[in-house]
Every structure is written in C-alpha cells, then in structure tokens.
Amino acid sequence: MSGLVYYSSRSGNTARFVQALGLPAQRIPIDAAAPMPEPAAPYVLICPTYADGEGRGAVAKQVIRFLNDPARRALIRGVIAGGNRNFGATYALAGRVIATKCQVPWLYSFELAGTETDIARIRAGLDTFWRETCPTAA
C-alpha cells in the first residue's frame, strides 16, 4: 500500500483520524516556515475543510502550498476530506475542490475526527483502491 499525506489544524481532528487508521502517513506542517513532506510514491491526501458560508477558503492554505509543487501534485491519487455536517453544502468541500483541480477521485468524507465505522471503511477502501489503482504500489 502506498502512503497518506495529511493536513491537520491545531484542533487535531484530522491527526487523530489518521493516527486511528494506523497507516504510514506524512503530515503537512501547520507552520508555513516548516519544510513540506516530499512523498516519493503515490499517496492519498487527507485534509479537513475550512470554508465560509459561501464555500470560500475550503482548502487550507498549507494544502494549496503543498499541491502547488508539480512533483508533489503528480503523485496524488485520491483525496479524503473531513468536515462538519453542521455546515451543510460546504461539508467536506475541500475534497470536491481538490478532486476537481487535481483530477483524482474523491474517495471518502468523514465528520470531525471520524468514527470507528469510518476508520474500518477507509482502511478496507484504501486497500482495494491501491490494489486496483497501483498494483505495484500495494
């Protein structure tokens, strides 16, 4: 299985979610001055959504900065997005935005830090995804 790259704000919801997955993962730093991870293999990006009521700002600036590098962007194979259902239409909007811009599938969405059901579904789904998408990376 290839790895995960994720961004988590200071709230730590996405970090707790990724930790619960128990899969290899690299974190995009909160601090803009910190070095970005440089994935050497295909990855799935996991990130929360930050949007105003109109959907602006859905993708965190650090995630945009990470994906603006052509070498890092070339390795993304899918996106999983977190969000809060209280925000209605903008729930997990970052997943839709990134999937469209990077032309990769939006694989799953989860609320806040996810549930045990989310964890089980994503583990199983990623296993299948990597076997079908990148057989040599599994």
Side-chain angles (χ1 to χ4, degrees):
M1 178 182 296
S2 289
L4 303 172
V5 173
Y6 73 99
Y7 176 77
S8 184
S9 68
R10 295 193 198 292
S11 75
N13 283 329
T14 306
R16 284 190 295 280
F17 178 78
V18 171
Q19 184 177 15
L21 286 172
L23 300 172
Q26 297 178 65
R27 184 173 183 164
I28 296 170
I30 295 171
D31 181 0
M36 286 287 180
E38 298 296 340
Y43 64 88
V44 168
L45 178 66
I46 301 177
C47 66
T49 297
Y50 301 101
D52 64 13
E54 303 300 315
R56 293 180 297 254
V59 180
K61 289 183 185 346
Q62 279 294 86
V63 174
I64 293 169
R65 190 172 147 239
F66 175 81
L67 290 171
N68 276 344
D69 178 88
R72 292 189 291 251
R73 191 173 57 249
L75 292 172
I76 188 172
R77 295 298 182 266
V79 63
I80 296 169
N84 186 326
R85 292 185 196 280
N86 288 340
F87 295 106
T90 62
Y91 167 69
L93 180 58
R96 293 190 298 270
V97 170
I98 293 167
T100 300
K101 294 232 181 213
C102 295
Q103 298 179 16
V104 297
W106 178 23
L107 301 171
Y108 198 86
S109 61
F110 62 95
E111 187 168 24
L112 302 174
T115 64
E116 288 301 316
T117 300
D118 292 325
I119 298 298
R121 285 180 179 164
I122 289 175
R123 274 193 205 128
L126 285 171
D127 185 54
T128 300
F129 178 76
W130 287 122
R131 278 189 278 114
E132 291 175 359
T133 305
C134 302
T136 59

